Structures are given as C-alpha cells and as structure tokens.
C-alpha cells in the first residue's frame, strides 16, 4: 500500500506538471512587429497577470497536496476517487485563466461573467479539496503512525477557509473582474505564506504509548 501511495502522488504530480505547462502555452504571441512589437507585448498584460495568479494558485494546490501525501501511509478506493475529483477541477484552471485573460478589460458583462466562471472553478476546487481532507481525517486510518490524528482533525477549519474566501470572489466578480483577479492573487499569497502544519505525535509520547501496550 505504501507503493500505491507513491504511485498516486507520482500520477498527481504529472497531472499538475501538465496543467502548468498548458497554462504557459496559453500566453499569446504578439502579432505586432518592428517598432510596434513592445506595444503588442504590453497589450498582452491581462494574459501575463492571469498567468501569474493561476500559477500561484496551482502551485499552492500542489504544495498542499504534497504535504498531505507526505503524511499518508496508505490509500483506499474512496481516496483515489476523491483525488481524481481534485485533479479534475484543477485541470480546468488553464481554460478559465484564458477566458478571464481574453475578457478581463472588455466593457459590458463579459468581463464579469469570465471572472465569475474563474471564481466558480476555485470554489469547486476548495470544496473538492475540503472533501478530500475531511475523508483523510475522518478516521485517520490512512495516516502514518506519527501523525496526531486529533490534531489533524483540528486543522479542518483552516483547510476550509478557501470554501469561504473563494465564494466571496464570486460576489466580487459581479462588480469588477480586475479586482477579482487581485483578490485571487492575495488569497494565493496568503496560503503560500501560511501553510497549515499537520501535527505529529511527540516522540516521547509515542514511545510511552508503545511501552503501555507491551504491559
């Protein structure tokens, strides 16, 4: 089963790598030439901005995913499907990034609609990831022995903050697409700077418990 855990993480890493590759391929080549080239580059700034934000979001997703699997010793069938659900939602991010970049500065409702779509996908990811984490911590049967299972369950609230923050970006998207992109950037920076540690059992307590079991 430990080998299976490695296979799941390797597969997931490959999916994340492909998603990031697709993300950068969505950047547009300026059509202008000669003296107008740099003007064409500047005109593409919505694509660059959306790329940076989405790269940060996916990067934080991958870091959290890696952190969880470094504490998991085995996998089971429900966890495999929950992991696939997380990857399915993440794989849509390059598409919504391109849609938002294309419509970010347009007049009318298309920019707001694109921002709503972008935010809805992040909401779906937050809910999928929260379901994944709740299943892992529900019984704690998949964790390594060193993991403090009660402490891990206590992190559910902080893991679930995205399920509150991202719906707020959906509401914001109806008013301003650029501000929505800024909000997503700030949320990604917050999660990047405030990783949630999964508590471990103190070594002395673990040894004491093992000693009690032998008596």
């Amino acid at each position: 089963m430990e080998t299976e855990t490695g296979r799941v993480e390797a597969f997931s890493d490959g999916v994340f790598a492909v998603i990031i590759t697709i993300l950068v391929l969505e950047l547009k080549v300026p059509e202008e030439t000669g003296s107008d080239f740099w003007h064409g580059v500047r005109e593409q700034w919505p694509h660059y901005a959306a790329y940076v934000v989405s790269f940060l979001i996916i990067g934080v997703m991958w870091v959290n995913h890696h952190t969880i699997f470094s504490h998991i010793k085995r996998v089971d069938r429900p966890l495999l499907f929950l992991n696939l659900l997380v990857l399915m939602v993440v794989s849509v991010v390059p598409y919504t990034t391109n849609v938002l970049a294309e419509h970010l500065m347009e007049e009318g409702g298309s920019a707001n609609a694109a921002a709503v779509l972008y935010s809805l996908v992040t909401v779906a990811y937050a809910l999928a990831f929260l379901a994944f984490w709740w299943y892992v911590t529900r019984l704690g049967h998949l964790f390594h022995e060193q993991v403090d299972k009660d402490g891990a369950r206590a992190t559910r609230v902080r893991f679930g903050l995205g399920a509150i923050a991202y719906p707020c970006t959906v509401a914001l998207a109806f008013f301003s697409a650029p501000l929505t992109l800024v909000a997503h950037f700030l949320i990604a920076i917050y999660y990047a700077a405030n990783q949630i540690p999964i508590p471990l059992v103190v070594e002395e307590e673990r040894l004491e418990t093992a000693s009690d079991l032998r008596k």
Side-chain angles (χ1 to χ4, degrees):
M1 294 304 293
E2 292 182 28
T3 303
E4 287 296 316
T5 302
R7 288 187 62 194
V8 174
E9 188 169 10
F11 172 76
S12 302
D13 287 347
V15 173
F16 276 107
V18 171
I19 292 170
I20 287 178
T21 302
I22 295 174
L23 192 66
V24 73
L25 291 177
E26 293 294 341
L27 294 178
K28 305 298 182 180
V29 177
E31 296 180 357
E32 292 80 358
T33 59
S35 60
D36 294 330
F37 174 77
W38 288 111
H39 174 74
V41 171
R42 289 193 299 271
E43 288 296 311
Q44 295 294 332
W45 74 263
H47 289 272
Y48 307 143
Y51 166 78
V52 170
V53 174
S54 293
F55 188 95
L56 282 174
I57 291 174
I58 295 172
V60 171
M61 292 175 181
W62 176 79
V63 170
N64 287 335
H65 188 275
H66 172 73
T67 299
I68 289 177
F69 268 92
S70 67
H71 291 76
I72 292 178
K73 186 176 183 179
R74 59 186 65 86
V75 295
D76 59 10
R77 190 176 179 85
L79 185 68
L80 291 176
F81 281 107
L82 286 170
N83 187 65
L84 286 175
L85 177 63
V86 169
L87 296 178
M88 181 185 72
V89 177
V90 177
S91 64
V92 183
V93 173
Y95 164 71
T96 57
T97 301
N98 192 41
V99 171
L100 181 59
E102 288 286 349
H103 298 278
L104 186 62
M105 300 307 297
E106 289 186 3
E107 300 292 337
S110 60
N112 300 105
V116 168
L117 177 64
Y118 187 89
S119 296
L120 284 175
V121 170
T122 59
V123 170
Y125 170 77
L127 294 176
F129 197 85
L130 184 59
F132 179 92
W133 183 237
W134 272 72
Y135 178 76
V136 171
T137 57
R138 185 173 64 91
L139 298 177
H141 60 297
L142 305 177
F143 280 128
H144 284 286
E145 292 79 4
Q146 295 92 338
V147 174
D148 179 356
K149 296 178 178 60
D150 291 331
R153 293 187 189 98
T155 66
R156 286 173 170 178
V157 175
R158 288 188 65 192
F159 264 96
L161 287 178
I164 299 174
Y166 288 125
C168 291
T169 66
V170 176
L172 180 61
F174 286 99
F175 299 96
S176 173
L179 285 180
T180 301
L181 191 62
V182 172
H184 280 288
F185 175 77
L186 295 177
I187 293 172
I189 291 296
Y190 169 79
Y191 275 114
N194 295 276
Q195 291 300 311
I196 304 173
I198 300 175
L200 301 179
V201 176
V202 178
E203 185 68 19
E204 289 77 7
E205 293 179 355
R206 196 159 57 85
L207 291 174
E208 185 177 312
T209 302
S211 177
D212 292 340
L213 290 174
R214 286 195 294 268
K215 290 180 181 180

